[in-house]
Amino acid sequence: MGPRVRFAPSPTGYLHVGGARTALFNWLYARRHRGTFVLRIEDTDVQRSSADMVTGILEGLRWLGLDWDEGPEVGGPRGPYFQSGRLDRYRAAAARLVAEGHAYYCYCSPERLRDEREKAEARGEAWQYDRACLNLAPERIAELEAVAAPRAIRFKVPSTHTAFEDIVHGRIAFDPRSIEDFVVLRSDNHPTYHLSVVVDDVEMGITHVIRGDDHISNTPKHLLLFEALGVTPPTFAHVPLILGADKKRLSKRHGATSVTEYRRQGYLPAAMVNFLALLGWSPGDDRELLSVAELVDSFSLEGISGGNAVFNVEKLEWMNGQYIARLPAGELAGAVEPFLADAGLPVPRDRGWFHRLLDLLRPRAKRLTDFAELARPFLVDTVEYEPHAVEKHLDAPDVGAHVAALAAALRTTDPFDEPHVEATVRGTAAERGVKAGVLIHATRVAVTGRTTSPGLFEVLVLLGRERSVARLERLVNFLATRRAGRVS
Ligand code: GLU
């Protein structure tokens, strides 16, 4: 039996890059060791959780290709996989802890707890629950029960256990005296996070808990609960935080933090996965571009570094460009289509032609969104001339006549392929006594409206004879009209 790991998001927000990275490490570990990846939704905070957030998290994971073996929508033998559907189990576990002497009822009112805390703070001391209810006399308990006084269940923290081994951080020592008798079941009968997470990890047979560093301080409590429940605890691996370029914890100030937002910005899931994997983990050599299969093959918890990881969006963009460069044309076409549609551009019906276009443009694209801009001149009927392109390249003497000559020459260029088109352009420039550059620049403005584009001869061939010639003639007319306007 392979390891069982879990990703346990609270659906109180979208899937952020930190969560996605935690999910990815769990997934890679499961796939590497032929284990089971469980997805568990920790929605006990009913007020702050929402079904939309759950949907968003599932979509984000699916987009990244992180499929789960057990969890929402796929089910599994250890469900339900929503904590809101497991409340009875937490209540039963809490009752068992009381019955076995590991926990006790606490009738202290919130007012009393607040007063005691404030008094201690006034003395400059930190307050811990004073175990006022640990040894209540049976008569007192009977009185409180008779009036149905609200009661919580507190865990009786033993003084055993002072350290655990974390795969990433090594031995982490803690002082059980610094842990108060924490609540496991609130007076409203709702479990606290500590209880629900441990009960679920036990009942779902989780062998490795891979989660963010922000949970390190909770782990001692969890270990004590595992012990009280008579279960060998899982192995823990706490993954370092993700920081922004300024070394502060990654937040919206640094730009997009939601996985969906990166999808919208035109990142490929494979690039995102590769990038996220290297946030705090390394294959142990200097490879930077690793396919999912390679990641699965090289992943180990020992390869996770204890130091914090820096989210470098330029690196992500570079990586995305690398993935765009390598993606098979058919897949790239599918990925680009929605971005064309968003930009109001038609998707070419001729697939072969579309693939050639994408091959021409991809060296210039870092994100899928770039394709919409790069492809525009090829997909619209009439290109718009950018004003600075007009200023820069159309003011040379006799440009209109040169362009008209080229249009005529291209009508008879046969075959209409790159070498012949290039020979025609250069030959026309030579015949007319201008530098090839003058004609090339003007032609580029004619066919794309811009000062920059992929290689002009390739552009002309891809546009084809009819459209190329028509665009050159349109420029000739445009220049004539402009000159007439100036003269009058
Ligand atoms: N639900 C917790 C969170 O979203 C994760 C709990 C865990 O991994 O133990 O932070």
Side-chain angles (χ1 to χ4, degrees), residues 345 353 357 372-387 389-390 394 403 441-454 456 459-460 463 467-476 478:
L345 293 167
W353 185 84
L357 172 63
E373 258 331 280
L374 293 167
R376 181 176 296 278
F378 297 88
L379 303 179
V380 293
D381 290 333
T382 313
V383 296
E384 275 177 42
Y385 305 135
E386 287 177 355
V390 172
L394 302 183
V403 170
H441 291 315
T443 302
R444 178 172 285 118
V445 180
V447 296
T448 69
R450 301 175 181 176
T451 55
T452 56
S453 77
L456 180 70
V459 170
L460 291 169
L463 281 170
R467 281 206 284 173
S468 295
V469 169
R471 288 183 184 192
L472 288 168
E473 288 174 346
R474 179 171 159 249
L475 187 81
V476 174
F478 167 81

Short mmCIF file of all heavy atoms in Angstrom, two decimals, residues 345 353 357 372-387 389-390 394 403 441-454 456 459-460 463 467-476 478:
data_model
loop_
_atom_site.label_atom_id
_atom_site.label_comp_id
_atom_site.label_asym_id
_atom_site.label_seq_id
_atom_site.Cartn_x
_atom_site.Cartn_y
_atom_site.Cartn_z
N LEU A 345 -11.41 38.35 -31.95
CA LEU A 345 -10.81 37.95 -33.23
C LEU A 345 -11.37 36.59 -33.65
O LEU A 345 -11.63 35.74 -32.80
CB LEU A 345 -9.29 37.85 -33.08
CG LEU A 345 -8.59 39.20 -32.84
CD1 LEU A 345 -7.15 38.98 -32.38
CD2 LEU A 345 -8.63 40.05 -34.11
N TRP A 353 -3.24 26.39 -41.74
CA TRP A 353 -2.80 27.78 -41.82
C TRP A 353 -2.64 28.37 -40.41
O TRP A 353 -1.66 29.06 -40.11
CB TRP A 353 -3.81 28.59 -42.63
CG TRP A 353 -3.38 30.00 -42.87
CD1 TRP A 353 -2.55 30.44 -43.87
CD2 TRP A 353 -3.73 31.15 -42.08
NE1 TRP A 353 -2.36 31.81 -43.75
CE2 TRP A 353 -3.07 32.26 -42.65
CE3 TRP A 353 -4.51 31.34 -40.96
CZ2 TRP A 353 -3.19 33.56 -42.14
CZ3 TRP A 353 -4.63 32.63 -40.44
CH2 TRP A 353 -3.98 33.72 -41.03
N LEU A 357 0.62 29.95 -38.63
CA LEU A 357 0.61 31.30 -38.02
C LEU A 357 1.17 31.22 -36.60
O LEU A 357 2.03 32.03 -36.20
CB LEU A 357 -0.84 31.84 -38.00
CG LEU A 357 -1.03 33.16 -37.23
CD1 LEU A 357 -0.23 34.29 -37.88
CD2 LEU A 357 -2.51 33.55 -37.16
N ALA A 372 -3.07 37.19 -29.11
CA ALA A 372 -4.17 37.99 -29.66
C ALA A 372 -3.59 39.22 -30.36
O ALA A 372 -3.95 39.52 -31.51
CB ALA A 372 -5.15 38.39 -28.56
N GLU A 373 -2.66 39.90 -29.71
CA GLU A 373 -2.09 41.10 -30.32
C GLU A 373 -1.23 40.75 -31.53
O GLU A 373 -1.31 41.39 -32.58
CB GLU A 373 -1.27 41.89 -29.29
CG GLU A 373 -1.98 43.11 -28.75
CD GLU A 373 -2.99 43.70 -29.74
OE1 GLU A 373 -2.59 44.44 -30.67
OE2 GLU A 373 -4.20 43.41 -29.58
N LEU A 374 -0.42 39.71 -31.35
CA LEU A 374 0.49 39.35 -32.45
C LEU A 374 -0.27 38.86 -33.68
O LEU A 374 0.14 39.10 -34.82
CB LEU A 374 1.45 38.24 -31.98
CG LEU A 374 2.47 38.64 -30.90
CD1 LEU A 374 3.13 37.40 -30.32
CD2 LEU A 374 3.52 39.59 -31.48
N ALA A 375 -1.39 38.17 -33.45
CA ALA A 375 -2.12 37.57 -34.58
C ALA A 375 -3.08 38.54 -35.25
O ALA A 375 -3.54 38.29 -36.36
CB ALA A 375 -2.89 36.34 -34.09
N ARG A 376 -3.37 39.65 -34.57
CA ARG A 376 -4.42 40.55 -35.07
C ARG A 376 -4.28 40.89 -36.57
O ARG A 376 -5.23 40.72 -37.33
CB ARG A 376 -4.45 41.83 -34.22
CG ARG A 376 -5.53 42.84 -34.64
CD ARG A 376 -5.56 44.03 -33.69
NE ARG A 376 -5.95 43.64 -32.35
CZ ARG A 376 -7.21 43.47 -31.95
NH1 ARG A 376 -8.20 43.66 -32.80
NH2 ARG A 376 -7.47 43.10 -30.74
N PRO A 377 -3.08 41.33 -37.03
CA PRO A 377 -3.00 41.72 -38.45
C PRO A 377 -3.33 40.57 -39.41
O PRO A 377 -3.74 40.81 -40.54
CB PRO A 377 -1.54 42.14 -38.63
CG PRO A 377 -1.00 42.35 -37.27
CD PRO A 377 -1.81 41.51 -36.33
N PHE A 378 -3.16 39.33 -38.93
CA PHE A 378 -3.40 38.19 -39.80
C PHE A 378 -4.87 37.79 -39.83
O PHE A 378 -5.30 37.05 -40.69
CB PHE A 378 -2.58 36.98 -39.33
CG PHE A 378 -1.10 37.23 -39.40
CD1 PHE A 378 -0.43 37.82 -38.34
CD2 PHE A 378 -0.39 36.91 -40.55
CE1 PHE A 378 0.93 38.07 -38.42
CE2 PHE A 378 0.97 37.16 -40.63
CZ PHE A 378 1.63 37.74 -39.56
N LEU A 379 -5.62 38.28 -38.85
CA LEU A 379 -7.00 37.79 -38.69
C LEU A 379 -8.05 38.84 -39.03
O LEU A 379 -9.22 38.50 -39.17
CB LEU A 379 -7.21 37.30 -37.25
CG LEU A 379 -6.24 36.19 -36.78
CD1 LEU A 379 -6.52 35.80 -35.34
CD2 LEU A 379 -6.32 34.97 -37.70
N VAL A 380 -7.63 40.09 -39.14
CA VAL A 380 -8.62 41.13 -39.48
C VAL A 380 -8.62 41.35 -40.99
O VAL A 380 -7.66 41.02 -41.68
CB VAL A 380 -8.31 42.46 -38.75
CG1 VAL A 380 -8.49 42.30 -37.25
CG2 VAL A 380 -6.91 42.96 -39.08
N ASP A 381 -9.72 41.93 -41.48
CA ASP A 381 -9.79 42.22 -42.92
C ASP A 381 -8.93 43.43 -43.26
O ASP A 381 -8.26 43.47 -44.28
CB ASP A 381 -11.24 42.48 -43.33
CG ASP A 381 -12.06 41.19 -43.27
OD1 ASP A 381 -11.43 40.12 -43.43
OD2 ASP A 381 -13.28 41.25 -43.04
N THR A 382 -9.01 44.44 -42.41
CA THR A 382 -8.31 45.69 -42.70
C THR A 382 -7.40 46.04 -41.53
O THR A 382 -7.89 46.17 -40.40
CB THR A 382 -9.34 46.84 -42.86
OG1 THR A 382 -10.38 46.37 -43.71
CG2 THR A 382 -8.70 48.07 -43.45
N VAL A 383 -6.11 46.17 -41.80
CA VAL A 383 -5.22 46.52 -40.69
C VAL A 383 -5.27 48.02 -40.42
O VAL A 383 -5.52 48.81 -41.33
CB VAL A 383 -3.75 46.11 -40.95
CG1 VAL A 383 -3.62 44.60 -41.05
CG2 VAL A 383 -3.17 46.79 -42.18
N GLU A 384 -5.05 48.34 -39.17
CA GLU A 384 -4.96 49.77 -38.83
C GLU A 384 -3.50 50.16 -38.84
O GLU A 384 -2.67 49.46 -38.29
CB GLU A 384 -5.51 49.99 -37.43
CG GLU A 384 -7.00 50.18 -37.41
CD GLU A 384 -7.52 50.34 -36.00
OE1 GLU A 384 -6.86 51.06 -35.22
OE2 GLU A 384 -8.54 49.72 -35.69
N TYR A 385 -3.21 51.31 -39.45
CA TYR A 385 -1.82 51.76 -39.46
C TYR A 385 -1.53 52.48 -38.16
O TYR A 385 -2.21 53.45 -37.82
CB TYR A 385 -1.56 52.71 -40.63
CG TYR A 385 -1.94 52.15 -41.98
CD1 TYR A 385 -2.65 52.93 -42.90
CD2 TYR A 385 -1.57 50.86 -42.35
CE1 TYR A 385 -2.99 52.43 -44.15
CE2 TYR A 385 -1.91 50.35 -43.59
CZ TYR A 385 -2.62 51.14 -44.49
OH TYR A 385 -2.96 50.63 -45.72
N GLU A 386 -0.53 52.01 -37.44
CA GLU A 386 -0.17 52.71 -36.21
C GLU A 386 0.46 54.05 -36.59
O GLU A 386 1.32 54.11 -37.48
CB GLU A 386 0.83 51.87 -35.40
CG GLU A 386 0.15 50.68 -34.75
CD GLU A 386 1.12 49.77 -34.00
OE1 GLU A 386 2.35 50.02 -34.06
OE2 GLU A 386 0.63 48.83 -33.37
N PRO A 387 0.05 55.14 -35.94
CA PRO A 387 0.54 56.47 -36.34
C PRO A 387 2.07 56.56 -36.37
O PRO A 387 2.64 57.11 -37.31
CB PRO A 387 -0.04 57.39 -35.27
CG PRO A 387 -1.25 56.67 -34.75
CD PRO A 387 -0.95 55.21 -34.87
N ALA A 389 4.14 54.24 -36.95
CA ALA A 389 4.66 53.45 -38.08
C ALA A 389 4.56 54.30 -39.36
O ALA A 389 5.47 54.30 -40.19
CB ALA A 389 3.86 52.16 -38.22
N VAL A 390 3.45 55.00 -39.48
CA VAL A 390 3.25 55.87 -40.65
C VAL A 390 4.34 56.94 -40.68
O VAL A 390 5.00 57.16 -41.69
CB VAL A 390 1.84 56.51 -40.59
CG1 VAL A 390 1.69 57.56 -41.69
CG2 VAL A 390 0.77 55.43 -40.71
N LEU A 394 6.83 55.93 -43.76
CA LEU A 394 6.12 56.24 -45.00
C LEU A 394 6.42 57.63 -45.55
O LEU A 394 5.80 58.07 -46.50
CB LEU A 394 4.60 56.06 -44.81
CG LEU A 394 4.17 54.65 -44.36
CD1 LEU A 394 2.65 54.57 -44.26
CD2 LEU A 394 4.70 53.57 -45.29
N VAL A 403 6.03 50.98 -53.49
CA VAL A 403 5.10 49.97 -53.00
C VAL A 403 4.19 49.49 -54.14
O VAL A 403 3.92 48.29 -54.28
CB VAL A 403 4.28 50.50 -51.81
CG1 VAL A 403 3.14 49.55 -51.44
CG2 VAL A 403 5.19 50.74 -50.59
N HIS A 441 10.38 48.11 -44.84
CA HIS A 441 9.66 48.80 -43.76
C HIS A 441 8.27 49.26 -44.20
O HIS A 441 7.29 49.10 -43.49
CB HIS A 441 10.46 50.01 -43.27
CG HIS A 441 11.72 49.63 -42.54
ND1 HIS A 441 11.74 48.64 -41.61
CD2 HIS A 441 12.99 50.12 -42.62
CE1 HIS A 441 12.99 48.50 -41.13
NE2 HIS A 441 13.76 49.40 -41.73
N ALA A 442 8.23 49.83 -45.39
CA ALA A 442 6.93 50.33 -45.89
C ALA A 442 5.97 49.17 -46.10
O ALA A 442 4.77 49.26 -45.80
CB ALA A 442 7.14 51.10 -47.19
N THR A 443 6.51 48.05 -46.60
CA THR A 443 5.66 46.88 -46.84
C THR A 443 5.12 46.33 -45.52
O THR A 443 3.97 45.92 -45.41
CB THR A 443 6.46 45.80 -47.60
OG1 THR A 443 6.93 46.38 -48.82
CG2 THR A 443 5.61 44.58 -47.89
N ARG A 444 5.97 46.36 -44.51
CA ARG A 444 5.54 45.86 -43.21
C ARG A 444 4.37 46.71 -42.69
O ARG A 444 3.39 46.18 -42.16
CB ARG A 444 6.69 45.88 -42.21
CG ARG A 444 6.26 45.43 -40.82
CD ARG A 444 7.42 45.26 -39.86
NE ARG A 444 8.17 44.06 -40.15
CZ ARG A 444 9.44 44.03 -40.51
NH1 ARG A 444 10.12 45.16 -40.64
NH2 ARG A 444 10.03 42.88 -40.75
N VAL A 445 4.49 48.02 -42.86
CA VAL A 445 3.37 48.88 -42.42
C VAL A 445 2.13 48.54 -43.23
O VAL A 445 1.02 48.43 -42.68
CB VAL A 445 3.72 50.39 -42.58
CG1 VAL A 445 2.55 51.25 -42.12
CG2 VAL A 445 4.99 50.74 -41.79
N ALA A 446 2.31 48.30 -44.52
CA ALA A 446 1.16 47.99 -45.38
C ALA A 446 0.43 46.73 -44.93
O ALA A 446 -0.79 46.70 -44.87
CB ALA A 446 1.61 47.84 -46.84
N VAL A 447 1.19 45.69 -44.59
CA VAL A 447 0.53 44.41 -44.34
C VAL A 447 0.20 44.17 -42.87
O VAL A 447 -0.67 43.38 -42.54
CB VAL A 447 1.30 43.21 -44.93
CG1 VAL A 447 1.34 43.32 -46.45
CG2 VAL A 447 2.70 43.09 -44.34
N THR A 448 0.91 44.87 -41.96
CA THR A 448 0.62 44.64 -40.53
C THR A 448 0.19 45.92 -39.82
O THR A 448 -0.33 45.86 -38.71
CB THR A 448 1.86 44.09 -39.77
OG1 THR A 448 2.85 45.12 -39.69
CG2 THR A 448 2.43 42.86 -40.44
N GLY A 449 0.48 47.08 -40.41
CA GLY A 449 0.17 48.35 -39.75
C GLY A 449 1.21 48.74 -38.72
O GLY A 449 1.08 49.76 -38.05
N ARG A 450 2.25 47.94 -38.57
CA ARG A 450 3.18 48.11 -37.45
C ARG A 450 4.63 48.26 -37.90
O ARG A 450 4.96 47.99 -39.06
CB ARG A 450 3.10 46.88 -36.55
CG ARG A 450 1.71 46.68 -36.01
CD ARG A 450 1.61 45.41 -35.24
NE ARG A 450 0.25 45.26 -34.75
CZ ARG A 450 -0.20 44.20 -34.08
NH1 ARG A 450 0.63 43.21 -33.83
NH2 ARG A 450 -1.44 44.16 -33.68
N THR A 451 5.47 48.63 -36.93
CA THR A 451 6.90 48.73 -37.23
C THR A 451 7.63 47.42 -36.97
O THR A 451 8.75 47.25 -37.41
CB THR A 451 7.57 49.82 -36.35
OG1 THR A 451 7.30 49.52 -34.99
CG2 THR A 451 7.06 51.21 -36.69
N THR A 452 6.99 46.55 -36.22
CA THR A 452 7.65 45.26 -35.94
C THR A 452 6.71 44.11 -36.28
O THR A 452 5.49 44.24 -36.16
CB THR A 452 8.03 45.13 -34.45
OG1 THR A 452 6.84 45.29 -33.69
CG2 THR A 452 9.05 46.16 -34.03
N SER A 453 7.31 43.02 -36.67
CA SER A 453 6.53 41.82 -36.99
C SER A 453 7.53 40.69 -37.14
O SER A 453 8.74 40.93 -37.17
CB SER A 453 5.75 42.02 -38.31
OG SER A 453 6.63 41.89 -39.41
N PRO A 454 7.06 39.47 -37.26
CA PRO A 454 7.99 38.39 -37.62
C PRO A 454 8.59 38.71 -39.00
O PRO A 454 8.18 39.68 -39.66
CB PRO A 454 7.09 37.17 -37.69
CG PRO A 454 5.88 37.50 -36.89
CD PRO A 454 5.69 38.98 -37.04
N LEU A 456 9.46 39.56 -42.54
CA LEU A 456 8.46 40.05 -43.49
C LEU A 456 8.13 39.05 -44.60
O LEU A 456 6.96 38.93 -45.00
CB LEU A 456 8.93 41.37 -44.12
CG LEU A 456 7.92 41.94 -45.11
CD1 LEU A 456 6.68 42.46 -44.40
CD2 LEU A 456 8.54 43.02 -45.97
N VAL A 459 5.79 36.61 -43.37
CA VAL A 459 4.47 37.23 -43.17
C VAL A 459 3.72 37.28 -44.50
O VAL A 459 2.54 36.93 -44.59
CB VAL A 459 4.62 38.64 -42.57
CG1 VAL A 459 3.28 39.39 -42.59
CG2 VAL A 459 5.17 38.57 -41.15
N LEU A 460 4.41 37.72 -45.55
CA LEU A 460 3.76 37.85 -46.87
C LEU A 460 3.28 36.49 -47.38
O LEU A 460 2.15 36.36 -47.86
CB LEU A 460 4.73 38.47 -47.88
CG LEU A 460 5.07 39.95 -47.64
CD1 LEU A 460 6.24 40.39 -48.52
CD2 LEU A 460 3.85 40.85 -47.88
N LEU A 463 0.24 35.41 -45.41
CA LEU A 463 -0.96 36.16 -45.80
C LEU A 463 -1.45 35.71 -47.18
O LEU A 463 -2.64 35.76 -47.48
CB LEU A 463 -0.66 37.66 -45.84
CG LEU A 463 -0.65 38.37 -44.48
CD1 LEU A 463 -0.11 39.79 -44.64
CD2 LEU A 463 -2.04 38.39 -43.86
N ARG A 467 -4.10 38.68 -50.45
CA ARG A 467 -4.20 39.65 -49.35
C ARG A 467 -3.00 40.58 -49.30
O ARG A 467 -3.12 41.77 -49.03
CB ARG A 467 -4.35 38.92 -48.02
CG ARG A 467 -5.78 38.43 -47.81
CD ARG A 467 -6.09 38.31 -46.35
NE ARG A 467 -5.48 37.13 -45.78
CZ ARG A 467 -5.47 36.84 -44.48
NH1 ARG A 467 -6.01 37.70 -43.63
NH2 ARG A 467 -4.92 35.75 -44.04
N SER A 468 -1.81 40.03 -49.60
CA SER A 468 -0.61 40.86 -49.56
C SER A 468 -0.73 41.99 -50.59
O SER A 468 -0.51 43.17 -50.29
CB SER A 468 0.64 40.03 -49.87
OG SER A 468 0.84 39.08 -48.85
N VAL A 469 -1.10 41.60 -51.80
CA VAL A 469 -1.19 42.60 -52.86
C VAL A 469 -2.28 43.63 -52.53
O VAL A 469 -2.08 44.85 -52.66
CB VAL A 469 -1.46 41.92 -54.23
CG1 VAL A 469 -1.82 42.95 -55.29
CG2 VAL A 469 -0.23 41.10 -54.66
N ALA A 470 -3.42 43.15 -52.04
CA ALA A 470 -4.51 44.07 -51.72
C ALA A 470 -4.06 45.07 -50.65
O ALA A 470 -4.38 46.26 -50.71
CB ALA A 470 -5.74 43.29 -51.25
N ARG A 471 -3.31 44.59 -49.68
CA ARG A 471 -2.88 45.49 -48.61
C ARG A 471 -1.85 46.51 -49.13
O ARG A 471 -1.84 47.66 -48.71
CB ARG A 471 -2.31 44.69 -47.43
CG ARG A 471 -3.42 43.98 -46.67
CD ARG A 471 -2.96 43.22 -45.46
NE ARG A 471 -4.09 42.51 -44.88
CZ ARG A 471 -4.10 41.93 -43.68
NH1 ARG A 471 -3.01 41.96 -42.93
NH2 ARG A 471 -5.17 41.32 -43.24
N LEU A 472 -1.00 46.06 -50.03
CA LEU A 472 -0.03 47.01 -50.60
C LEU A 472 -0.77 48.09 -51.40
O LEU A 472 -0.46 49.27 -51.30
CB LEU A 472 0.97 46.26 -51.50
CG LEU A 472 1.98 45.39 -50.74
CD1 LEU A 472 2.74 44.47 -51.70
CD2 LEU A 472 2.98 46.26 -49.96
N GLU A 473 -1.76 47.67 -52.15
CA GLU A 473 -2.51 48.64 -52.97
C GLU A 473 -3.28 49.61 -52.08
O GLU A 473 -3.40 50.80 -52.39
CB GLU A 473 -3.42 47.92 -53.96
CG GLU A 473 -2.57 47.29 -55.07
CD GLU A 473 -3.37 46.41 -56.03
OE1 GLU A 473 -4.53 46.08 -55.70
OE2 GLU A 473 -2.81 46.07 -57.09
N ARG A 474 -3.77 49.09 -50.99
CA ARG A 474 -4.51 49.98 -50.08
C ARG A 474 -3.55 51.05 -49.52
O ARG A 474 -3.90 52.22 -49.37
CB ARG A 474 -5.13 49.17 -48.94
CG ARG A 474 -5.87 50.04 -47.96
CD ARG A 474 -6.68 49.24 -46.94
NE ARG A 474 -6.93 50.11 -45.81
CZ ARG A 474 -6.39 49.96 -44.62
NH1 ARG A 474 -5.59 48.94 -44.37
NH2 ARG A 474 -6.65 50.83 -43.66
N LEU A 475 -2.31 50.63 -49.25
CA LEU A 475 -1.36 51.61 -48.74
C LEU A 475 -1.04 52.66 -49.80
O LEU A 475 -0.91 53.85 -49.49
CB LEU A 475 -0.06 50.92 -48.30
CG LEU A 475 0.91 51.90 -47.60
CD1 LEU A 475 0.51 52.10 -46.15
CD2 LEU A 475 2.36 51.42 -47.69
N VAL A 476 -0.94 52.21 -51.05
CA VAL A 476 -0.68 53.17 -52.13
C VAL A 476 -1.79 54.23 -52.15
O VAL A 476 -1.52 55.43 -52.21
CB VAL A 476 -0.58 52.44 -53.49
CG1 VAL A 476 -0.47 53.44 -54.64
CG2 VAL A 476 0.61 51.47 -53.50
N PHE A 478 -3.79 55.04 -49.71
CA PHE A 478 -3.73 55.81 -48.47
C PHE A 478 -2.69 56.93 -48.61
O PHE A 478 -2.95 58.09 -48.27
CB PHE A 478 -3.34 54.86 -47.31
CG PHE A 478 -2.95 55.55 -46.04
CD1 PHE A 478 -3.91 56.03 -45.16
CD2 PHE A 478 -1.59 55.72 -45.72
CE1 PHE A 478 -3.53 56.66 -43.97
CE2 PHE A 478 -1.22 56.34 -44.55
CZ PHE A 478 -2.18 56.81 -43.67
#
